[in-house]
Amino acid sequence: THESPKYLQDNGYPLITSKNVKNGYIDFTDVNLISKEDLDKINERSLVEDGDIIMPMIGTIGNPVIVKKDREFAIKNVALIKFISNSKAINQFVKELLDSDAFNRHYQNQSSGSTQKFISLGFIRSMQIPLPPTEVQGEIVAKIEAERKMVEGCRELIAIYEAKIKRVIDKVWGE
């Protein structure tokens, strides 16, 4: 819907907007709440299900998130990318593509607006996504995940050694 729902002070359902999609997850801490009636009205058109991708399209464009739905919510002003059964696309592969530098440059080049950038649903619908066979998509996703685990392991090592260095310096300086 293009109407803004009436926000409730408490005891409502989260309405997820661009501001709530950050760093690879949906942030429910600072979310506007809506009534069950508004939730149902919005979800008639754009029901978000487990495994779908949502992506901000106003303000901070990009930053797609694969939904792990553990509560009811509705969306407004974010793109919803759905995956049908027997899809030839793996949602993790599509998310990685949408989150890539190449696609981010494409969003920025195609965005409109002077103070608040945005991309239209028409633009998103017309995007062409290169789609190798599902086996290849799976291999690419597996390699990306393996690299992420290595990076995370390195970050943990850095934190451990920084703490050790701090302890040695504190000991040397008598703190």
Side-chain angles (χ1 to χ4, degrees), residues 18-114:
S18 293
K19 73 175 183 164
N20 305 110
V21 181
K22 23 179 135 162
N23 303 323
Y25 69 98
I26 301 171
D27 182 2
F28 287 92
T29 56
D30 182 28
V31 69
N32 292 318
L33 301 175
I34 59 174
S35 69
K36 175 73 169 152
E37 180 182 340
D38 284 333
L39 174 88
D40 292 342
K41 188 174 181 181
I42 292 168
N43 283 344
E44 279 178 19
R45 179 179 167 106
S46 54
L47 176 65
V48 181
E49 298 173 298
D50 206 41
D52 290 344
I53 294 175
I54 60 173
M55 183 177 79
M57 42 190 271
I58 298 174
T60 302
I61 301 168
N63 190 27
V65 171
I66 296 175
V67 174
K68 292 181 179 98
K69 196 158 183 188
D70 58 358
R71 67 182 89 181
E72 280 194 275
F73 63 88
I75 58 171
K76 184 163 179 64
N77 297 330
V78 295
L80 171 61
I81 301 163
K82 305 209 47 87
F83 293 83
I84 58 173
S85 60
N86 300 325
S87 176
K88 294 182 181 179
I90 296 174
N91 62 354
Q92 289 176 287
F93 178 80
V94 173
K95 184 238 178 236
E96 294 299 336
L97 275 177
L98 294 173
D99 208 18
S100 69
D101 289 342
F103 268 81
N104 278 307
R105 280 191 303 277
H106 188 54
Y107 306 144
Q108 297 308 319
N109 291 337
Q110 297 299 319
S111 64
S112 303
S114 55

